[in-house]
Amino acid sequence: MVRSGEEPRPAGRATDGTGPASLRELFLSGEPVETGVRTSILDSWQRCRSLGLSPDALDLPYREDFDPGGRIVRAAVPVLDRLQATFAGSQVNISVADANGTVLLRRFGDPSMTRSLPDIQVVPGFVFAEQVAGTNGIGLALAERQLIRVYGAEHFAERAQQNACVALPVRDPLSGRIEGVLCLGYPRGFERPALGVAIRRAAEGIERRLLGQSSARERALLRTYLAAGAGTAGLHRGVALDAVANEFPLRDQAILREKAAELISGAQRGAVEVTLPDGRRVTLVSRPVTSGSGVQGIAIEAVLPGPAAGEPLVIPHQADDLAALTAPAVPLSAARPAITLPSGHLAAPSGPLVTTDGDGGTTGPGGTAGPVTSAEPSTSPEPATPAEPSKSAEPDSARTPAGPAVAAGERTTTQPTTTDSDRSPSGPAAAGRGGRVSAGEHSEAAFPARGLVMLGEPQVGAYALAARRRLELLSEASTRIGTTLDVRRTAEELAETAAPGLADFVTIDLPDAVLRGEESADPIADLRRTVVHGIRGGLPFTPPGKRVDFGPTTPQLRCLSSSEAVLEPDLNAAAGWLAQDPEHTERLLAHVHSLIAVPLLARGVVLGVASFYRAGSPFGDDDRSLAQELASRAALSIDNARRYTHERTMVLALQRRLLPHGLPDQDAVEVAHRYLPAESDVGGDWYDVIPLSGARVGLLVGDVVGHGMLSAATMGRLRTAARSFAELDFPPDEVLTHLDNLVGRLDREDPDGKGAGVIGATCLYAVYDPTAQRCLMARAGHPPPAVVRPDGTVTYPDLPAGPPLGLGGLPFDAVEVGLPEGSQLVLYTDGLIEDRNRDVDAVLEQLREALAHPERAPEETCQAILDTVAPTHPHDDIALLVARVHAMDPGRIANWELSADPARVGEVRASAMRWLSDRGLDETGFAAELILSELITNAIRHGAAPIRVRLLYGRTLICEVSDASNTAPHLRRAASTDEGGRGLFLVAQLSQSWGTRYLPEGKVIWAECDLDAA
C-alpha cells in the first residue's frame, strides 16, 4: 500500500512497524546493506555514520534562547489544540519544531504521558536536527524536505527503537520557505492510515494561519499609509489609489510595478526615474512605513508629470478608497506634498537611485555622501489613530487576499462609503473629476501629482521579485536550452542559463555512453565531468574530461538513487558531502556554501547529474524546484540529442560501410577522395572507382535526395547497381538510363511513397581510357566536374545536365573530353558548392582558384578544396573525388588488323608471341596463344570485318579481339559427344576474367591473363 507523497515500503517489512532491525545491526557492524531498507533511511544512516554519531550515546543539545512566541508558534497553537482533542486518550506525542530542528511546542493525546517520558520528549527546546540526533522524524523531514515516516529500528538512536513517527515540513505560503516541522510520534504498534491524512490537514491549517498573519501585516501597513496624513498640518485625509491605473495603460503599469517590486525588495529609501516606452518619465519614490504594531514596510509612490505652467492640476478619476480603513478621499494632489530630493529640487530626478545610508546621509552614483533634505522624515512617524473599520469589513485576515505587496487600484476590502464631499462639485474631490482648482485655493496644486504604486514588506517583496525572476529564467530556458542536437553543447546551455540566474557555479556530469549517444548500463560508475561553468574561473572543481566518483552519502549519488533533487542549504553541515574528499571539499568551501544536486532523467533513462553551487545566500526549496525544472527541460533536450547522436552514428556507420573501403589496383588514374557528413544529419552521397576492361577506369559520384537511414540505405542500393551496370561495360549514358529505371522502380515499390517521387538522386559517371587519353562522361542532374589541365587551366566541361534519376522518360547525353597526361578530373556533390549563405557562381570561382595548382598531388588537392571551398558548417554531405590521369606507354600496346581469312590466324598468333617474348612474357605466351586463337577464329567465323587484335601490357595482359558484328558469344558447356563449343570454355579457364564490350559499331571480346599466375 502506497500513500500519496510517501515512499513505498519494501517487501518483507514487518507488519507491526518494527522496521528492519537485523539490517540496522548489519549496518552498524559495518556490513554492506543494499536492499530491504528505504533509500531515505539508508542515506540518513550513512550520513550519521559519516558524522561519527553513536546510536547509544546521543545527547541532544538544548537551546534556552528559542522563541516561544514566534510566527510558527502563533500559527500552530490552535491547530495543535485541535490535534490534541482528536487524539485524546491515545499515546500520540504532537510537536512543532522550527527550521533548525528545535522543538517549540508539545502536545500529548494523554496528558499523563509527561510523567513517564524523558525530558527530551516532553520539554521544548531540544534540538532534533539530523546532524546531532541521528535518523528521526523531525531531522529527516528537514533533510529530505518532504513527508517522512520513521519506524522503530529505522531510528538511529537506541532509545527510539520502540517508537514510530510521521513528520511533515510546514512552509510559508508566500515565500515557500520551510518555517518548521510538524511531527506526530507514537508507539510503533499504533500505526494508523489516518495519521498521514491528519498531519497533512494540520500542516495546511498552520500554513493558512501563516498566510493570514501575512495578510494582517500587509493590511496594517496599508492602514498606516492611508492614515499618515490625518492630523498632520497641511495634509488631508485619504489618497486616490487608482490614479496611476487611470493615468497609464496596462503595459506601463506593469513596468512601474515591476520596478516598484525591486525597490521594495531593496528596502531602501530614495527615488528612481523610470522611462516608459512612449518616452514619458515617471519618478518612483520609496518611503518607509511602520504600522502601529511594528510591521515595517516600504511604500512606492509614482510622481506623475506635473501640469504646464499656469495650468491648474487636473487629477484623473478619483479612486475607490478603503472605507474600512480610512476617511473619505480627497484629490491626489492634496494628499501629499512633493518631497524635496537631496539636490534641493522637487521630485523629478534624472539618473540612478538616490538612497539614504545608515547615518542619515545619501549615497549618489559615485558613492559620495551628503545630507538628507527631504521634507519627509527618514523614518515614518507614529501615525495618527486610523479610522475605525466599518462593521462590513471582514475581520478574519484569512479572507483577505494576500500577496507580496498591495498594488495601486487593487481592492482589499468591501466597497467604500461615498461621502458628501465626494458628491459636491465644490468639495475637495472635485478636482479629481475634472474640476479646476486655482493655485490660491490649494498651494499643493503647484506640485506634481502622486499616486501609490505598491506597498509591501521588503522581505516578502524580495520573495516576490525572486519568484518573478524564476519565471523569467524558466522562460529564458525554453529558448536557450536545446538549440542544437549536440549532447555536450546542450549541457553547456543548461549551465549557462543557470549561472548566474540561479547559481554561481554549475557542474554537469554525464556518462561516457551518453556522450556517445548510448544508454549507460551503470551511470553511477561511468560519470565524467562534462561542464564546469560559473561567474568566475579558478575554482577547485574537477576539470572537464576527468572521471568523477561520488561516494554513497554525497548529494549527487543520493539524487541519482532517489530520482529527486537534493538540497544542501549549508555545505559546512553536509556530512556526506564533506566525507567524500575532505581535502578537496575544504578548498571548495572557501568559495561555495550551498548545493542543489539534480538528476538528469528523461523517459526513464539516467543521463547524468547537475550540481548547482551558490557562494552567497543559501538555496531554498523554491530554488530546488526551479533547479529540478531546469534540469528536467535540459534532460529532455539532452536525451533528444543523445538519441539523435545514436541515430546519426548508426547512419554514419552504415554510410561509411557502404562506401568504398579502399581503392582498386589500376594504373589509369591516381585517386584521392573525401567524405564529409553534414553537421545536422547524414545524407546519401557516394563515390566509387571501378576498374573496367581495356585498362579503363570508371569514376562515379552520386547523391541521394534526403537524409537519414533511408537515404543511406538507398545510396547503398544505387551504388551497388551502378557498379554492376558499369562492370557490364555499358557507356555512361546507358548506365544512367539503367539507374533512372531502377530509381523509378524503387519509388513505385515504396509502400509509403505511392509513386509520388519520394526517392530521387543525382549522378555523374565518367570513363577514362588511358590508351586514347579520352574521357567519356554523362550526368543526371549533378554538378559538372572540373578539369585541371597540366598548365593550370581549370574548366568546367559543357556537359548536358540531364534530369535527376527517377524522373524517367528523358535521355542522357554523353560527352567525350580529351585529358592529356597529368590532368586532374575533380568530381564532387552539391554539398561542396551549394550553401544557403553563398552564391554558387562565387563558390565555383573559389573552386577554380583552389584547383589552379596542377603540381599538387590528388591528396593535397582534396585537402585544399575542403580548407578553402567547403562551408564551415555543412548542411549537406560532401563527397569529393580527385583523379590525376595517366597515359599508357605506347610500347605496352600492340595492334593488328586482319581480314576474315582463317589463314591469317597463324600469322597474327606468331607475331603476338614474338611481341610477348620481347617483353619477357614467354611464360604467359602459352595461355595468350590459345586465347587469341580461339577469339580470332570465332571473330572470323561468326563476326564481320574488319577484325582487329590488341594486346595491352599493364598489371595484367589483356587480349582483345574486335569485329563489326553485334552478335555476342555465349559460354556453354559442350556435351561429351559434341565436336565444338569448347572454345569460350577454354578462354574462361585460361583467363582470370573475360567479357564483351559493345562499341558504337561492333563489339570487343576481351580476356585478361594474370601475370603472377603465369
Side-chain angles (χ1 to χ4, degrees):
M1 176 177 177
V2 180
R3 302 181 184 90
S4 174
E6 301 178 29
E7 297 181 78
R9 300 187 189 180
R13 173 178 294 281
T15 57
D16 62 353
T18 58
S22 60
L23 294 175
R24 177 178 177 275
E25 297 302 324
L26 285 176
F27 176 83
L28 293 176
S29 64
E31 297 293 330
V33 176
E34 298 181 355
T35 58
V37 181
R38 291 180 293 158
T39 302
S40 59
I41 299 298
L42 183 58
D43 288 343
S44 180
W45 286 357
Q46 291 171 337
R47 293 194 294 271
C48 294
R49 183 160 61 185
S50 300
L51 290 166
L53 300 180
S54 174
D56 53 359
L58 283 178
D59 295 327
L60 303 188
Y62 180 80
R63 295 188 57 180
E64 297 181 353
D65 60 344
F66 72 93
D67 185 4
R71 291 187 66 212
I72 185 69
V73 172
R74 296 197 306 273
V77 166
V79 177
L80 263 62
D81 290 342
R82 289 195 295 270
L83 276 178
Q84 185 177 26
T86 300
F87 293 106
S90 69
Q91 298 295 305
V92 176
N93 181 344
I94 309 165
S95 60
V96 170
D98 63 15
N100 297 316
T102 304
V103 174
L104 306 176
L105 286 173
R106 285 199 179 274
R107 294 287 190 275
F108 302 93
D110 184 356
S112 64
M113 294 173 59
T114 58
R115 296 191 295 271
S116 59
L117 293 176
D119 286 347
I120 60 171
Q121 297 184 25
V122 176
V123 180
F126 284 96
V127 180
F128 282 81
E130 185 187 62
Q131 56 266 33
V132 295
T135 307
N136 69 90
I138 293 175
L140 194 53
L142 288 173
E144 298 290 333
R145 312 179 81 82
Q146 61 181 346
L147 178 69
I148 287 294
R149 292 178 182 268
V150 183
Y151 304 89
E154 291 181 336
H155 289 89
F156 193 75
E158 290 287 350
R159 61 170 175 265
Q161 299 298 295
Q162 302 302 315
N163 301 324
C165 62
V166 56
L168 180 65
V170 177
R171 303 175 188 272
D172 186 325
L174 288 181
S175 67
R177 182 181 60 187
I178 291 179
E179 292 287 335
V181 177
L182 175 63
C183 181
L184 303 180
Y186 47 89
R188 65 185 187 185
F190 186 76
E191 176 66 23
R192 299 289 189 274
L195 289 176
V197 177
I199 197 170
R200 288 184 184 278
R201 290 180 177 175
E204 291 172 358
I206 297 175
E207 291 173 351
R208 282 196 302 270
R209 291 185 59 81
L210 288 172
L211 179 64
Q213 290 181 21
S214 298
S215 302
R217 294 164 68 92
E218 298 290 352
R219 290 210 313 275
L221 287 174
L222 187 58
R223 287 192 189 98
T224 301
Y225 175 82
L226 295 176
T232 304
L235 294 182
H236 297 273
R237 300 162 60 90
V239 66
L241 292 182
D242 67 348
V244 174
N246 289 322
E247 180 72 15
F248 300 103
L250 293 177
R251 178 189 60 178
D252 293 347
Q253 292 179 45
I255 295 173
L256 293 175
R257 289 176 180 175
E258 179 179 338
K259 188 62 180 179
E262 294 181 7
L263 293 176
I264 291 176
S265 64
Q268 293 178 319
R269 176 187 177 89
V272 65
E273 188 176 78
V274 179
T275 302
L276 300 176
D278 59 3
R280 285 193 295 174
R281 296 181 178 182
V282 178
T283 301
L284 294 182
V285 180
S286 60
R287 301 175 60 252
V289 178
T290 303
S291 70
S293 60
V295 179
Q296 295 183 347
I298 298 291
I300 307 298
E301 298 173 330
V303 180
L304 307 182
E311 291 292 329
L313 178 67
V314 179
I315 300 299
H317 168 68
Q318 181 65 33
D320 291 338
D321 259 334
L322 304 182
L325 302 177
T326 187
V330 295
L332 186 59
S333 60
R336 296 265 188 269
I339 72 167
T340 304
L341 297 180
S343 62
H345 298 286
L346 292 179
S350 175
L353 175 69
V354 181
T355 62
T356 61
D357 58 23
D359 299 326
T362 62
T363 303
T368 305
V372 178
T373 58
S374 173
E376 298 174 278
S378 59
T379 57
S380 296
E382 196 67 31
T385 304
E388 290 296 327
S390 66
K391 294 183 179 180
S392 61
E394 297 183 25
D396 189 356
S397 60
R399 283 179 282 178
T400 302
V406 178
E410 293 181 358
R411 298 187 181 183
T412 58
T413 58
T414 57
Q415 292 291 337
T417 304
T418 304
T419 63
D420 293 339
S421 61
D422 291 333
R423 299 188 188 98
S424 173
S426 59
R433 295 178 173 82
R436 308 179 69 87
V437 182
S438 65
E441 294 177 358
H442 294 287
S443 60
E444 295 86 350
F447 298 106
R450 303 173 67 184
L452 178 65
V453 177
M454 189 173 290
L455 184 146
E457 295 180 79
Q459 185 179 17
V460 178
Y463 285 123
L465 184 62
R468 179 173 59 81
R469 288 176 176 170
R470 283 192 289 268
L471 291 175
E472 292 174 351
L473 187 61
L474 286 176
S475 177
E476 180 184 0
S478 64
T479 59
R480 291 189 60 181
I481 300 177
T483 60
T484 68
L485 287 173
D486 180 79
V487 173
R488 195 180 304 274
R489 179 56 194 152
T490 304
E492 291 173 352
E493 290 171 343
L494 168 60
E496 292 168 359
T497 303
L502 170 64
D504 295 324
F505 305 95
V506 180
T507 65
I508 299 177
D509 307 311
L510 303 177
D512 285 332
V514 172
L515 294 172
R516 296 193 303 268
E518 305 169 2
E519 291 187 14
S520 178
D522 188 6
I524 296 176
D526 192 27
L527 287 173
R528 187 174 297 276
R529 180 58 47 85
T530 305
V531 177
V532 175
H533 179 75
I535 58 177
R536 63 179 183 275
L539 267 68
F541 289 111
T542 302
K546 297 291 185 179
R547 188 175 297 278
V548 290
D549 297 314
F550 294 114
T553 60
T554 56
Q556 288 84 353
L557 195 63
R558 286 161 53 201
C559 80
L560 288 175
S561 302
S562 63
S563 299
E564 296 289 340
V566 173
L567 168 62
E568 290 289 357
D570 184 6
L571 286 176
N572 290 281
W577 186 77
L578 293 171
Q580 166 74 8
D581 185 351
E583 181 180 354
H584 177 260
T585 53
E586 183 178 355
R587 289 186 286 114
L588 199 56
L589 278 175
H591 305 279
V592 297
H593 306 292
S594 189
L595 165 67
I596 300 175
V598 187
L600 298 174
L601 299 173
R603 304 180 180 97
V605 178
V606 178
L607 303 174
V609 60
S611 302
F612 303 88
Y613 296 88
R614 187 177 283 180
S617 60
F619 287 116
D621 284 284
D622 288 339
D623 297 316
R624 181 179 67 166
S625 300
L626 176 60
Q628 186 146 6
E629 179 64 24
L630 288 176
S632 298
R633 298 188 181 194
L636 286 175
S637 298
I638 291 175
D639 190 50
N640 290 337
R642 179 194 66 82
R643 290 167 175 256
Y644 166 77
T645 301
H646 179 67
E647 181 179 346
R648 186 176 188 274
T649 301
M650 293 178 58
V651 174
L652 185 57
L654 174 64
Q655 174 87 342
R656 294 192 182 280
R657 187 67 181 172
L658 294 175
L659 290 174
H661 292 173
L663 298 177
D665 294 331
Q666 45 81 35
D667 296 322
V669 294
E670 178 188 355
V671 179
H673 56 84
R674 294 286 191 277
Y675 171 73
L676 186 64
E679 283 192 351
S680 58
D681 206 351
V682 179
D685 292 15
W686 87 92
Y687 59 87
D688 209 346
V689 179
I690 309 169
L692 302 175
S693 63
R696 299 171 307 141
V697 64
L699 303 174
L700 187 67
V701 171
D703 181 6
V704 175
V705 174
H707 298 84
M709 190 73 73
L710 176 61
S711 296
T714 303
M715 177 276 290
R717 300 172 73 177
L718 291 185
R719 175 178 172 256
T720 301
R723 189 178 185 92
S724 300
F725 295 144
E727 290 178 343
L728 289 175
D729 272 328
F730 292 137
D733 52 338
E734 291 189 28
V735 170
L736 295 182
T737 300
H738 287 296
L739 287 176
D740 181 59
N741 294 334
L742 174 63
V743 171
R745 185 163 59 252
L746 292 176
D747 196 23
R748 291 190 297 272
E749 293 173 356
D750 182 12
D752 298 325
K754 300 180 181 180
V758 175
I759 300 175
T762 64
C763 186
L764 170 62
Y765 181 42
V767 177
Y768 173 68
D769 186 352
T771 62
Q773 300 180 39
R774 306 288 295 177
C775 183
L776 184 66
M777 60 185 76
R779 60 180 178 137
H782 202 83
V787 175
V788 184
R789 303 288 177 177
D791 61 359
T793 304
V794 181
T795 60
Y796 298 101
D798 187 12
L799 185 63
L805 300 176
L807 294 183
L810 298 176
F812 300 96
D813 297 322
V815 173
E816 191 172 48
V817 179
L819 294 180
E821 184 174 10
S823 299
Q824 288 188 353
L825 185 63
V826 181
L827 290 74
Y828 50 88
T829 55
D830 57 1
L832 178 66
I833 62 172
E834 294 183 3
D835 185 77
R836 65 188 67 175
N837 300 318
R838 302 189 301 172
D839 180 69
V840 174
D841 293 335
V843 176
L844 290 176
E845 189 59 32
Q846 287 181 344
L847 179 60
R848 188 192 304 274
E849 295 174 359
L851 294 175
H853 299 275
E855 73 282 357
R856 288 176 176 161
E859 284 289 343
E860 296 174 347
T861 302
C862 277
Q863 193 59 46
I865 292 174
L866 293 182
D867 292 342
T868 60
V869 181
T872 305
H873 303 285
H875 297 283
D876 196 4
D877 291 14
I878 297 175
L880 179 62
L881 194 64
V882 178
R884 172 173 285 169
V885 302
H886 299 292
M888 179 170 279
D889 184 358
R892 290 175 171 261
I893 304 173
N895 290 283
W896 294 274
E897 186 172 342
L898 66 156
S899 60
D901 183 359
R904 297 293 308 277
V905 176
E907 298 177 8
V908 174
R909 186 171 56 203
S911 299
M913 292 306 100
R914 289 192 298 271
W915 188 84
L916 291 175
S917 179
D918 293 341
R919 285 154 182 79
L921 299 177
D922 295 315
E923 294 184 0
T924 311
F926 175 74
E929 183 179 13
L930 291 178
I931 291 173
L932 286 174
S933 296
E934 182 60 34
L935 295 182
I936 295 173
T937 301
N938 282 343
I940 292 175
R941 289 182 177 179
H942 306 291
I947 299 173
R948 297 182 177 88
V949 178
R950 185 170 72 162
L951 295 180
L952 303 175
Y953 172 31
R955 293 177 179 268
T956 61
L957 178 64
I958 302 174
C959 304
E960 293 183 348
V961 176
S962 62
D963 66 84
S965 172
N966 289 326
T967 302
H970 297 280
L971 177 65
R972 68 183 182 88
R973 296 182 179 273
S976 58
T977 57
D978 291 343
E979 296 183 359
R982 296 179 176 84
L984 287 180
F985 180 77
L986 291 175
V987 171
Q989 293 298 315
L990 294 172
S991 63
Q992 68 177 17
S993 61
W994 73 280
T996 303
R997 179 171 73 250
Y998 289 94
L999 303 174
E1001 294 181 359
K1003 64 181 181 299
V1004 176
I1005 309 298
W1006 58 270
E1008 188 173 342
C1009 300
D1010 190 353
L1011 299 180
D1012 294 335

